[in-house]
Amino acid sequence: MAKILFVVTGADHWTLADGTAHPTGFWAEEAVAPYQVFTGAGHEVVVATPGGVVPTVDRGSLAPDVNGGQEGADKVAAGLEAFEELRRPVALENVGLDAYGAVFYPGGHGPMEDLAVDPASGRLLTETLASGKPLGVVCHAPAALLAATGPDGTNAFTGYRLTGFTNAEESQAGFADKAKWLLQDRLVALGADFQEGEPWAPFVITDRNLVTGQNPASSTPLAEELLKRIG
């Protein structure tokens, strides 16, 4: 069985264009659903955050209206409670890739705040991509790819087919006109081949060892695809 590294945002807010701090963190379903897929298959999960801080869940991700009703919200809350590794993360800066069979990044708006500019995360992403080990990134977590830039200014993900939270979804969520920048725009600007599915529907793109998902609904199918690739 493999050890799977979950790289989770340590941010508890997202700074908007007007300078206000919007409370956020990681999106519950995007952490819980893959955790259940991986541990259900017998794998071990280790959580890493910048500085080893205990990550903050986006309270909005626990609401019934984003979980298909109260029953779904209760299941996500129970899954979050059972995800004990979230309460004892290791420091991302001290992580060595050799110990892990795969790497996974859940989303939420938090990665837009910290992982998008985190050099340790950028190095880990570049190393994972080069290693051939399965790398999964979902929803807003592809913001972390922006930090995977080498000394010459080139990004490790330039030319990769991938997806992430779209401009259309950000508009429908009510944040497109409040954000400093939009994820889809930045991924296109770095030279990624951005693929866009229907808003809020499961949509997963694979390119070499990179597996990306567009939105929360994509987290389970992404995890199932990663599972197939873990040796």
Side-chain angles (χ1 to χ4, degrees):
M1 294 294 102
K3 284 170 70 172
I4 301 171
L5 182 69
F6 273 46
V7 179
V8 182
T9 177
D12 62 4
H13 70 279
W14 175 35
T15 305
L16 301 178
D18 65 1
T20 59
H22 173 70
T24 188
F26 68 89
W27 197 260
E29 180 185 3
E30 295 168 21
V32 168
Y35 175 79
Q36 292 172 339
V37 169
F38 297 140
T39 57
H43 297 297
E44 178 185 351
V45 167
V46 175
V47 172
T49 62
V53 302
V54 175
T56 299
V57 65
D58 187 319
R59 304 305 301 179
S61 69
L62 301 175
D65 63 339
V66 297
N67 288 292
Q70 189 61 53
E71 184 179 351
D74 291 344
K75 285 183 179 178
V76 167
L80 197 61
E81 182 64 28
F83 193 164
E84 296 179 358
E85 293 85 348
L86 282 168
R87 296 187 280 279
R88 41 183 172 85
V90 300
L92 178 58
E93 298 80 3
N94 299 332
V95 165
L97 180 61
D98 289 349
Y100 301 96
V103 177
F104 172 70
Y105 279 65
H109 278 113
M112 304 272 281
E113 184 74 19
D114 62 351
L115 297 180
V117 293
D118 189 287
S121 174
R123 286 192 298 271
L124 176 69
L125 285 165
T126 301
E127 187 181 350
T128 307
L129 203 60
S131 75
K133 292 181 178 183
L135 171 61
V137 194
V138 70
C139 201
H140 285 93
L145 310 189
L146 303 176
T149 303
D152 61 354
T154 60
N155 188 283
F157 293 87
T158 298
Y160 273 77
R161 293 178 69 249
L162 51 77
T163 191
F165 204 67
T166 64
N167 290 355
E169 287 167 324
E170 204 71 87
S171 294
Q172 291 175 25
F175 287 107
D177 59 350
K178 300 175 183 178
K180 288 182 179 180
W181 48 271
L182 297 178
L183 179 60
Q184 180 176 347
D185 291 348
R186 284 289 182 91
L187 293 172
V188 169
L190 69 78
D193 181 5
F194 191 92
Q195 307 287 309
E196 182 174 357
E198 289 296 316
W200 312 109
F203 187 67
V204 174
I205 291 290
T206 62
D207 187 346
R208 287 156 277 187
N209 57 318
L210 176 66
V211 184
T212 51
Q214 181 172 308
N215 47 35
S218 306
S219 57
T220 294
L222 184 154
E224 290 170 345
E225 181 61 33
L226 269 191
L227 197 60
K228 296 176 192 174
R229 297 160 175 257
I230 296 171

